[in-house]
Amino acid sequence: MREAEKVVITTAVTGSVNVPSQSPHLPLSARQVADSALEAIEAGSAVVHLHAREADGRPTADPEVFEEIVARIGERADAVINITTGGASSMTMEQRLAAALRLKPELASMNMGTMNFVYSAIADKVTRWTHEWEKPYVLNTWSHPFVNTFDSIEHTLRTLGESGTRFEYECYDIGHLYSLAHFVEAGLARPPLLIQGVFGVLGGIGADHANLEHMVRIADRLFGDDYYFSAFGAGRDQMPFATHSAWLGGHVRVGLEDSLWAGKGRLARSNAEQVRKIRAVVEDLGKEIATPAEARKMLALRGASAVDATGA
């Protein structure tokens, strides 16, 4: 692993897993997502990882909604924009790529394998649903896998890569590292890599800290010093796994996509609250927080001037 000179905080602002009935603080509209991202940037986040939703909170792949979010952020702040190509398992690959292909961001997420990505247990915890779409949506994940075939990964690397977009490689299991190594060998995934270890999603590797260290050991064997590492744990494991990643010399990710909580039994009121919390932890470890410009230099990104809401 290439040890981080300074720690990059990524904020996953809204995601597509959690639903409005779980928290009144989950950003939904384009303006809410953008404003929540701006608050996170002000708190110290160098990267904002973006999904989009309709006004009722339903996840959407509509490029126009993404354009509205990106434009509002770009008018008010300098940050690295990371647009999802994951979307939701209910979306087609064409839908999932539409916004990134139009906007050509500096950074985009890349899920490294087909998997069971199950969050149907949300239905066991919600007693009152705000919208009719929510319960069927979460239950659907019990019977429908999250599809990321090798041909779709190759297609994404080629098409987005041609525009200069680089990737955050989301690895939910050890096998995903070997899949990434295949694309590195093929010359389609180019160092320095940003590997995002994901822990605690049902269907992926569990939120065991030994798994985090094992993932880093295997990544070291496969990629040597050609990668940066970041990690997050879902739900209650968010802060412990971010702390562990920083302690190992990696970067961190927080945000309401990954956890709705700010502490035991206490909902986070904003993404910025989580950013401030992990920033304090990182600084207590004696590490500095990276600015967007420093994150761009580390990750070999092309720069904010090349990104706008028109995709130019």
Side-chain angles (χ1 to χ4, degrees):
M1 175 173 60
R2 191 175 300 184
E3 187 167 351
E5 299 173 8
K6 296 185 179 182
V7 177
V8 174
I9 299 176
T10 293
T11 302
V13 180
T14 189
S16 61
V17 172
N18 294 316
V19 295
S21 294
Q22 294 175 273
S23 172
H25 308 300
L26 186 67
L28 304 178
S29 70
R31 188 180 184 112
Q32 288 173 344
V33 172
D35 287 350
S36 191
L38 288 165
E39 291 173 358
I41 294 163
E42 185 177 1
S45 186
V47 181
V48 286
H49 172 67
L50 300 176
H51 287 244
R53 294 176 181 263
E54 297 178 13
D56 66 353
R58 190 190 312 261
T60 181
D62 187 347
E64 293 188 1
V65 181
F66 277 93
E67 282 187 2
E68 185 178 346
I69 295 168
V70 171
R72 186 169 177 82
I73 295 171
E75 289 169 358
R76 294 164 173 80
D78 172 40
V80 175
I81 301 296
N82 176 353
I83 292 180
T84 183
T85 68
S89 59
S90 56
M91 298 174 184
T92 67
M93 198 66 216
E94 182 179 12
Q95 290 172 323
R96 288 163 51 185
L97 283 176
L101 286 173
R102 181 183 296 190
L103 297 173
K104 300 178 178 62
E106 294 182 81
L107 194 62
S109 65
M110 173 69 74
N111 296 276
M112 289 311 300
T114 296
M115 60 181 291
N116 291 311
F117 190 118
V118 182
Y119 43 95
S120 56
I122 290 173
D124 298 330
K125 300 174 182 178
V126 174
T127 57
R128 181 175 297 178
W129 297 95
T130 306
H131 304 285
E132 290 184 1
W133 66 266
E134 295 175 276
K135 186 174 182 180
Y137 172 76
V138 300
L139 290 176
N140 182 65
T141 64
W142 185 257
S143 55
H144 291 76
F146 183 35
V147 177
N148 299 282
T149 61
F150 268 40
D151 67 332
S152 68
I153 293 171
E154 179 178 357
H155 174 71
T156 304
L157 287 170
R158 289 189 185 278
T159 54
L160 274 179
E162 287 176 356
S163 69
T165 295
R166 290 181 59 80
F167 298 94
E168 169 220 3
Y169 297 98
E170 297 197 352
C171 295
Y172 295 77
D173 222 327
I174 299 301
H176 291 176
L177 294 175
Y178 286 90
S179 298
L180 177 56
H182 167 81
F183 288 105
V184 171
E185 185 175 354
L188 292 173
R190 299 185 302 277
L193 309 169
L194 173 58
I195 296 175
Q196 185 73 250
V198 184
F199 301 85
V201 171
L202 183 58
I205 198 166
D208 185 317
H209 286 271
N211 287 337
L212 190 158
E213 297 198 6
H214 180 52
M215 185 174 280
V216 170
R217 282 194 298 270
I218 297 299
D220 282 346
R221 184 181 305 168
L222 292 172
F223 309 113
D225 194 40
D226 281 343
Y227 80 101
Y228 289 103
F229 186 74
S230 178
F232 73 87
R236 65 185 179 184
D237 296 298
Q238 181 189 62
M239 290 296 166
F241 270 74
T243 302
H244 195 166
S245 180
W247 183 75
L248 289 174
H251 301 289
V252 301
R253 171 169 143 171
V254 294
L256 296 177
E257 171 175 350
D258 305 330
S259 174
L260 295 171
W261 303 95
K264 187 174 182 179
R266 183 167 62 86
L267 288 170
R269 298 186 64 84
S270 67
N271 281 286
E273 183 177 1
Q274 293 183 348
V275 173
R276 287 190 291 269
K277 185 171 182 177
I278 195 59
R279 178 173 186 164
V281 169
V282 169
E283 291 176 338
D284 279 348
L285 290 173
K287 299 176 181 288
E288 295 183 60
I289 302 300
T291 66
E294 290 166 336
R296 290 186 178 101
K297 183 177 179 180
M298 276 187 274
L299 303 177
L301 304 180
R302 67 172 184 257
S305 62
V307 183
D308 63 25
T310 67

